[in-house]
Amino acid sequence: MRAMPAELRQMKQAEAEALFRRIGITFAVYGEGGDPDRLIPFDMFPRVFTGAEWARLERGIKQRARALNAFLVDVYGRGEIVRAGRIPARLVYLNEAYEKAVVGFVPPRGVYSHIVGIDLVRTGPDQFYVLEDNCRTPSGVSYMLENREIMMRMFPAIFRENRIQPVERYPELLRRTLASVAPAKCDSAPTVAILTPGHYNSAYYEHSFLADLMGVELVEGQDLFVEGEFCYMRTTEGPKKLDVIYRRIDDAFLDPLCFRPDSALGVPGLMDVYRSGGITIASAPGAGVADDKAIYTYVPEMVRFYLGEEPILENVPTWQCAKDDDLKYVLENLGELVVKEVHGSGGYGMLVGPKSTKDQIEAFRAKIEEDPSNYIAQPTLALSTCPTFVEQGIAPRHVDLRPYCLVGERIELVPGGLTRVALKEGSLVVNSSQGGGVKDTWVLAE
Amino acid sequence: MILSVTHTTLYRYDVPVRGVVQSHRLTPASFATQRPLRWQVSVSDGIPGGSFRDGAGDWIQGYSVAGPVSEITVHVEGEVETEDCAGVLRGHRETVPPIVYLRRTDATRADSALKTLGREAVSGGADTLDQAHRLMGAVADAILYRPGATHAATTAAEALELGEGVCQDHAHAMIAAARSTGLPARYVSGYLMAADAGTRHEAAHAWAEIWVDGLGAWVGFDPANRCCPDDRYIRLGSGLDARDAAPIRGTARGTGGESLDVTVAIQAVQQ
């Protein structure tokens, strides 16, 4: 691709954009107003992993997904890891994402997080760091599938000549994963549906895209109702019992009888059906306590505690401002660090020290001092870069990677993921909501 | 003592509703000082939903009613054998760690007045139990019993500022003040038998429980009556606040208004 003349590259780029428009894949940007159908920039230069590199990553990702689920079953059960003094009780039990309503409940197959999105960055040939875990409803997998589709249409020859492992099995694997966690009371082939907050949601496209590819219904709360021991969906042929819901709405909105009483997005009575084994909710309510940024620090400890293994993937060294010593260090070194809100996401509410002005740093200092426990800090990593097409030609840009690990009867990982790229020179923020772009991710067969 | 309970809730809808879904915490659990002898919950035209025992040890039962329907009745009837154990909850099977009950809710957020009340009440206490008794006294002193002064959504802070309220407000205030001093505290809903005319109560009652580490147990405190629950009390369930511990949570699919009529009768059938 490097050899491609500039005119051809521009032509191809225009072709890619036209394809995206035609397919209709867009990503609305939170808090920025503007065009909700704005295209997320797609970069044609793929990110490539060798089979050996991927094999190690895959082991590490699956290991982490197992540990996170073991942690969730534990903290809603006996809390052994807390009793053993390996993680502070307050961090778990006073966490906003900890749901008292599911204490004592073990979901089918002991899985709380069925789709674990793990954000990784590379800092050396064999060194990957986990930036964060996403145990609730990680988004972006539609880009993984679409990026591949676009690349295959534009460069069919490359795919004929290279042994690039396929990712197209993802929707079928997701469907099988969800069917494999059908509840105790389901005695026939399980009916699966995706629960969406509706078309105003920024990820609605992805919800309908996945429902379509999996061959399942896309439903909103108003399409569902509880009667007796089960939850039903209204269809033109009458009510149909639902067995597994892949929900893309937050815990707080799932059931107004149990959580926020003003929620119109959920289904009244759903939690009673869930807890009595009439339906499976994926991810399980309460799964969020495992992906909190303050809990993140302890994930390597979870791997050792539950699996008796050494973590294959490393955590980024993290300072917790809730600890006095850490806070002191962070405030003294703000200019060098990346500071994040514990509950923040999408790249908002963060300070990238080396890229910030004095005023920005001082303003952030005041916020940290006001509520230290709301912040964590990490060093600015020497992130790997990947060749990327830019105005001037091809230049290195920072990338990260989010693979999607499926956890059900088996643990599955398609070889690939979503590669996000910071398109601004030197920028480390890859979030699509902050102007990042995406690339196809290639894993070569050995 | 053996207490007999009859509790009827009548819901009336101005416009017939398309359906009703409820979640009940209406069945007393069995523990050292409380044993249901017979207990029956019925819902007119109700379809029983899933039932389970939650992490706090409460029995939860779902119900749904298919519409159109313009009124439904929830009827509870039963007998429970009780013993006095100075409010200490023994033999209650539950798995929620006490520290969870340090969490704040909107109804139990401690403002500066509640924090001050809490701090001053516990400062002279010899131990947790003593501190909890002082907290109960301070709340009872600060909030006079007056039905109608507050409503279902009144917060602990509002009730304290008003200086008046009912058992829900007393319990919320005690919980908020206790949590602000680091004591896990929770809301309990249940029934209370009126032994004499002077007892401040409604038969459907609410109180607080404080976790006493030294005992390794939850201990009940009823600030509305300045006492610990004894054999006149039936414990139905607990939660972080009144909403979380509500005996009936429900919703109707409809457009019109809803009115509620509750009657509770409780008496001792055997001393």
Side-chain angles (χ1 to χ4, degrees):
Chain A
M1 240 182 257
R2 259 179 216 283
M4 194 187 284
E7 305 83 68
L8 180 57
R9 170 175 65 76
Q10 276 158 12
M11 213 176 75
K12 283 282 185 192
Q13 190 70 47
E15 190 185 327
E17 263 186 39
L19 279 170
F20 270 107
R21 283 272 182 219
R22 198 155 72 225
I23 298 167
I25 188 163
T26 59
F27 199 98
V29 179
Y30 280 116
E32 286 182 10
D35 178 10
D37 291 331
R38 200 188 78 176
L39 274 184
I40 186 166
F42 172 70
D43 183 74
M44 289 185 299
F45 217 111
R47 178 179 197 181
V48 184
F49 288 97
T50 66
E53 286 172 329
W54 185 259
R56 183 170 165 276
L57 267 185
E58 177 172 353
R59 282 198 309 279
I61 290 160
K62 288 180 173 178
Q63 180 191 55
R64 202 158 167 114
R66 277 190 294 144
L68 288 165
N69 273 294
F71 170 75
L72 285 162
V73 170
D74 185 29
V75 297
Y76 290 112
R78 291 184 45 81
E80 301 287 2
I81 198 165
V82 176
R83 288 166 197 251
R86 308 283 276 271
I87 180 165
R90 302 185 71 89
L91 215 52
V92 176
Y93 298 122
L94 298 184
N95 197 298
E96 276 178 44
Y98 185 84
E99 300 288 6
K100 180 172 70 70
V102 299
V103 172
F105 182 70
V106 181
R109 298 191 190 277
V111 181
Y112 266 85
S113 181
H114 307 80
I115 301 112
V116 187
I118 294 181
D119 292 351
L120 295 156
V121 288
R122 186 174 200 164
T123 51
D126 280 319
Q127 190 171 41
F128 288 88
Y129 280 120
V130 176
L131 280 185
E132 62 181 55
D133 306 289
N134 297 274
C135 294
R136 304 172 217 208
T137 54
S139 61
V141 78
S142 53
Y143 287 108
M144 172 183 85
L145 297 167
E146 293 283 32
N147 292 348
R148 176 59 54 86
E149 166 110 29
I150 301 273
M151 289 298 277
M152 289 180 77
R153 283 207 217 172
M154 294 199 317
F155 306 103
I158 297 182
F159 283 86
R160 276 197 303 273
E161 290 153 18
N162 293 277
R163 306 207 311 166
I164 298 155
Q165 296 193 46
V167 295
E168 301 85 85
R169 292 187 312 140
Y170 181 84
E172 174 55 17
L173 286 178
L174 174 59
R175 198 196 57 76
R176 281 200 339 227
T177 299
L178 294 169
S180 79
V181 292
K185 289 182 186 170
C186 174
D187 51 13
S188 55
T191 303
V192 178
I194 298 183
L195 175 60
T196 174
H199 63 275
Y200 293 112
N201 185 273
S202 69
Y204 180 77
Y205 170 79
E206 177 160 300
H207 308 159
S208 67
F209 178 80
L210 284 175
D212 204 31
L213 289 181
M214 286 200 292
V216 305
E217 293 292 330
L218 179 68
V219 295
E220 296 183 28
Q222 63 198 20
D223 303 324
L224 308 180
F225 66 96
V226 164
E227 191 170 291
E229 296 180 40
F230 298 103
C231 176
Y232 296 86
M233 105 184 129
R234 296 186 176 87
T235 74
T236 46
E237 290 122 46
K240 183 164 171 53
K241 178 167 75 81
L242 259 188
D243 302 298
V244 182
I245 288 185
Y246 174 29
R247 51 78 179 243
R248 296 292 296 252
I249 67 177
D250 293 345
D251 285 5
F253 298 99
L254 274 177
D255 177 356
L257 296 194
C258 189
F259 302 116
R260 276 179 64 157
D262 57 342
S263 167
L265 300 176
V267 189
L270 183 65
M271 286 301 288
D272 282 359
V273 175
Y274 171 67
R275 284 225 43 182
S276 55
I279 197 164
T280 296
I281 303 174
S283 63
V289 71
D291 68 16
D292 183 273
K293 289 193 181 68
I295 297 279
Y296 156 88
T297 323
Y298 295 90
V299 178
E301 198 56 32
M302 293 176 199
V303 172
R304 294 184 196 102
F305 187 78
Y306 297 112
L307 310 179
E309 299 170 7
E310 271 308 301
I312 297 166
L313 299 174
E314 284 179 72
N315 261 16
V316 182
T318 301
W319 291 275
Q320 294 177 46
C321 298
K323 295 181 184 167
D324 288 345
D325 288 354
D326 286 17
L327 175 65
K328 187 163 173 285
Y329 179 86
V330 170
L331 292 175
E332 282 168 6
N333 295 279
L334 273 183
E336 314 296 317
L337 300 171
V338 178
V339 189
K340 297 176 181 174
E341 282 184 22
V342 170
H343 302 293
S345 71
Y348 292 104
M350 66 188 274
L351 174 82
V352 182
K355 307 278 172 201
S356 300
T357 64
K358 265 213 166 76
D359 286 353
Q360 286 169 327
I361 290 176
E362 288 317 306
F364 215 86
R365 181 190 304 280
K367 282 166 68 180
I368 299 171
E369 283 171 339
E370 197 174 303
D371 185 11
S373 64
N374 194 32
Y375 296 92
I376 54 143
Q378 296 171 335
T380 320
L381 298 175
L383 292 197
S384 68
T385 59
C386 183
T388 300
F389 289 116
V390 295
E391 291 280 316
Q392 302 77 19
I394 297 169
R397 289 290 181 267
H398 293 297
V399 290
D400 80 350
L401 174 70
R402 175 182 288 183
Y404 300 85
C405 187
L406 298 173
V407 189
E409 184 179 10
R410 306 193 318 188
I411 302 191
E412 310 259 16
L413 185 69
V414 300
L418 173 63
T419 292
R420 298 184 297 181
V421 52
L423 292 171
K424 273 186 246 159
E425 190 174 357
S427 170
L428 296 170
V429 182
V430 296
N431 301 75
S432 59
S433 49
Q434 301 268 297
V438 294
K439 286 169 171 288
D440 193 11
T441 311
W442 291 1
V443 177
L444 304 179
E446 281 297 277
Chain B
M1 195 183 304
I2 293 176
L3 299 171
S4 152
V5 176
T6 314
H7 172 195
T8 306
T9 311
L10 175 66
Y11 295 83
R12 281 202 191 85
Y13 306 101
D14 303 343
V15 181
V17 294
R18 283 175 288 135
V20 174
V21 178
Q22 295 189 334
S23 178
H24 291 174
R25 194 183 269 103
L26 276 173
T27 303
S30 186
F31 49 88
T33 55
Q34 170 171 300
R35 195 161 64 92
L37 301 176
R38 60 179 182 85
W39 198 264
Q40 185 87 42
V41 180
S42 57
V43 178
S44 55
D45 303 316
I47 307 164
S51 71
F52 59 95
R53 195 169 185 181
D54 72 6
D58 300 333
W59 288 102
I60 311 289
Q61 167 76 56
Y63 267 103
S64 52
V65 178
V69 62
S70 51
E71 84 176 36
I72 67 167
T73 306
V74 179
H75 186 71
V76 182
E77 198 170 346
E79 278 182 11
V80 179
E81 186 174 21
T82 59
E83 277 174 57
D84 181 5
C85 183
V88 182
L89 184 64
R90 292 275 188 211
H92 182 62
R93 201 185 83 194
E94 62 180 308
T95 49
V96 179
I99 188 177
V100 170
Y101 297 94
L102 284 175
R103 295 164 75 112
R104 287 170 186 85
T105 67
D106 289 343
T108 59
R109 188 150 291 139
D111 62 355
S112 62
L114 278 162
K115 285 179 188 159
T116 305
L117 181 147
R119 199 170 49 242
E120 287 175 358
V122 303
S123 65
D127 54 23
T128 305
L129 205 53
D130 187 28
Q131 289 175 339
H133 277 282
R134 286 165 186 258
L135 269 172
M136 173 169 71
V139 168
D141 288 343
I143 301 176
L144 301 177
Y145 178 75
R146 193 162 80 83
T150 53
H151 51 89
T154 302
T155 67
E158 288 163 356
L160 181 64
E161 196 188 345
L162 196 65
E164 297 176 327
V166 294
C167 58
Q168 173 177 313
D169 306 303
H170 286 110
H172 276 163
M174 180 158 178
I175 291 163
R179 286 184 192 151
S180 76
T181 69
L183 291 176
R186 66 186 179 188
Y187 190 98
V188 180
S189 56
Y191 302 109
L192 167 60
M193 185 197 62
D196 56 78
T199 308
R200 291 164 168 177
H201 81 293
E202 296 137 83
H205 196 54
W207 56 96
E209 278 176 354
I210 306 285
W211 175 255
V212 180
D213 225 13
L215 291 175
W218 288 97
V219 179
F221 291 89
D222 179 3
N225 292 300
R226 292 179 192 264
C227 69
C228 290
D230 53 26
D231 56 358
R232 296 168 301 148
Y233 290 70
I234 296 173
R235 186 185 188 280
L236 277 180
S238 68
L240 291 167
D241 58 17
R243 193 184 103 77
D244 196 35
I248 302 177
R249 299 184 209 175
T251 180
R253 288 201 303 274
T255 48
E258 171 186 300
S259 67
L260 201 63
D261 193 8
V262 184
T263 54
V264 185
I266 174 163
Q267 56 183 340
V269 293
Q270 187 189 311
Q271 288 294 331

